[in-house]
Amino acid sequence: MPFRVVFRIGGSGMDLRSKARTLSGPVTDPSKLPKWNYDGSSTGQAPGEDSEVILYPQAIFKDPFRRGNNILVMCDCYTPAGEPIPTNKRYNAAKIFSSPEVAAEEPWYGIEQEYTLLQKDTNWPLGWPIGGFPGPQGPYYCGIGAEKSFGRDIVDAHYKACLYAGINISGINGEVMPGQWEFQVGPSVGISSGDQVWVARYILEVWITEIAGVVVTFDPKPIPGDWNGAGAHTNYSTESMRKEGGYEVIKAAIEKLKLRHREHIAAYGEGNERRLTGRHETADINTFSWGVANRGASVRVGRETEQNGKGYFEDRRPASNMDPYVVTSMIAETTIIWKP
């Protein structure tokens, strides 16, 4: 039985690589899988004279391509001495989520992952005329029809593959810029949110778009000018927020996020300053704001949450290329553990 190892590496924050290995029989528990290694000198993570980086299996998903007993395995990366390498962001996130304070609050996440499909030979959005532009934004968001929707076959194939894999993918939709799409993962609890988003990205890039001959980019502003950027809006709640009186807990958490705005922005994705301009459904990167039903704010509270006096809120600042391990654990650390 083969299993395909998926692991995060590289200084860009978005690198995913994988390789495959054969097992003698089915495995359902990551702790029963063998550790493995790869050549870190070929990825800029280790010197040639001591090149091994060790892979620790952390989460198992069904393989939607080979199917049967075949699995995908999300791994993180360590030195031979057992120390997490610098690009292993899962390690610190797991520590935060396993802390008693955070575990008691059972943080839920729903991540809206936006991305853009590009024509492979031109790196120009799918469906756009080569060297030119489509009509202005307006008809494309959740649009239908060959003149408004580009790449639906790819998006639907990804949706089905994620469902088969056991990822808690909760929906898809066409986005405001033509050729741009979104999938949502969640609600997921704690560290599993990061695992599921990374594996969903992997499935999209390694098989779906690879087979289709299309490039996927998570750049937060792939086309400059009067076009929407791409984000990874992160919906969040804790046990206290979901109970009666939770709206006050939500407002206190938002105040904490305001106090650490710059720290969060620095960790919310590369190139985000090109997206967070105060236009195209974003808040200005330098100013923290929040509001009910306000998609031009840093943090949006839903109208239903306000009416019910409990629920969740949406951090709209993360870029599409953010690391979900970093963002989810940072939100939990700021709102639950940190004391101003």
Side-chain angles (χ1 to χ4, degrees):
M1 183 197 82
F3 78 92
R4 181 171 290 271
V5 168
V6 184
F7 53 98
R8 268 284 325 289
I9 61 174
S12 74
M14 284 302 295
D15 291 16
L16 276 169
R17 307 206 186 184
S18 69
K19 57 181 185 175
R21 180 171 181 172
T22 303
L23 300 174
S24 58
V27 179
T28 57
D29 182 350
S31 68
K32 305 299 183 184
L33 289 168
K35 293 185 176 71
W36 207 8
N37 68 77
Y38 66 91
D39 173 16
S41 67
S42 295
T43 62
Q45 294 175 297
E49 63 273 13
D50 187 15
S51 63
E52 287 189 1
V53 176
I54 313 302
L55 292 165
Y56 286 31
Q58 299 291 0
I60 291 176
F61 299 85
K62 293 168 65 179
D63 188 334
F65 310 107
R66 294 184 175 90
R67 297 188 286 183
N69 288 325
N70 301 300
I71 54 177
L72 302 176
V73 181
M74 187 66 193
C75 299
D76 58 355
C77 307
Y78 296 80
T79 68
E83 296 294 322
I85 65 172
T87 53
N88 181 357
K89 305 302 183 185
R90 190 185 192 281
Y91 176 80
N92 187 62
K95 286 203 303 183
I96 291 172
F97 284 121
S98 62
S99 69
E101 286 177 274
V102 174
E105 284 288 355
E106 194 180 16
W108 291 3
Y109 298 91
I111 295 178
E112 305 170 26
Q113 176 67 71
E114 296 177 345
Y115 60 94
T116 307
L117 298 174
L118 304 176
Q119 301 167 60
K120 182 168 66 71
D121 296 329
T122 61
N123 274 345
W124 199 236
L126 194 67
W128 290 33
I130 301 301
F133 297 89
Q137 294 181 158
Y140 307 107
Y141 173 68
C142 297
I144 61 170
E147 78 284 14
K148 296 187 286 291
S149 176
F150 312 117
R152 189 182 300 279
D153 54 342
I154 295 170
V155 174
D156 280 347
H158 176 249
Y159 195 2
K160 293 173 186 175
C162 286
L163 287 170
Y164 181 92
I167 292 167
N168 193 16
I169 185 168
S170 48
I172 57 169
N173 61 267
E175 266 305 327
V176 177
M177 189 183 86
Q180 193 176 85
W181 293 83
E182 172 184 301
F183 64 87
Q184 300 96 33
V185 172
S188 304
V189 179
I191 196 72
S192 69
S193 179
D195 290 336
Q196 291 188 40
V197 170
W198 273 118
V199 174
R201 286 173 172 175
Y202 171 81
I203 290 171
L204 178 62
E205 188 164 8
V206 77
W207 282 104
I208 305 299
T209 55
E210 207 174 277
I211 291 170
V214 170
V215 174
V216 58
T217 178
F218 296 97
D219 189 289
K221 188 73 172 181
I223 304 296
D226 196 20
W227 304 97
N228 272 35
H233 303 152
T234 301
N235 298 275
Y236 170 71
S237 71
T238 63
E239 181 71 19
S240 297
M241 295 175 191
R242 298 187 291 268
K243 290 180 177 178
E244 294 300 323
Y247 194 46
E248 294 305 313
V249 180
I250 287 172
K251 289 193 288 186
I254 292 172
E255 185 61 27
K256 283 186 171 185
L257 291 174
K258 177 182 178 180
L259 295 174
R260 297 183 83 181
H261 177 62
R262 289 190 178 183
E263 188 176 343
H264 279 254
I265 286 294
Y268 273 16
E270 294 296 321
N272 211 9
E273 72 283 351
R274 292 183 282 116
R275 167 180 162 261
L276 296 181
T277 61
R279 300 182 63 208
H280 304 109
E281 299 181 295
T282 71
D284 180 81
I285 194 169
N286 297 308
T287 306
F288 182 90
S289 59
W290 77 276
V292 176
N294 184 357
R295 282 181 162 76
S298 308
V299 169
R300 180 185 68 87
V301 174
R303 187 69 67 189
E304 186 178 17
T305 294
E306 180 192 42
Q307 291 171 349
N308 293 341
K310 60 183 178 181
Y312 70 96
F313 65 84
E314 174 193 44
D315 191 339
R316 296 180 59 81
R317 297 171 296 172
S320 51
N321 61 4
M322 63 82 161
D323 187 326
Y325 292 135
V326 173
V327 169
T328 57
S329 62
M330 194 174 192
I331 291 173
E333 196 275 332
T334 293
T335 61
I336 300 171
I337 299 174
W338 183 59
K339 304 295 189 293

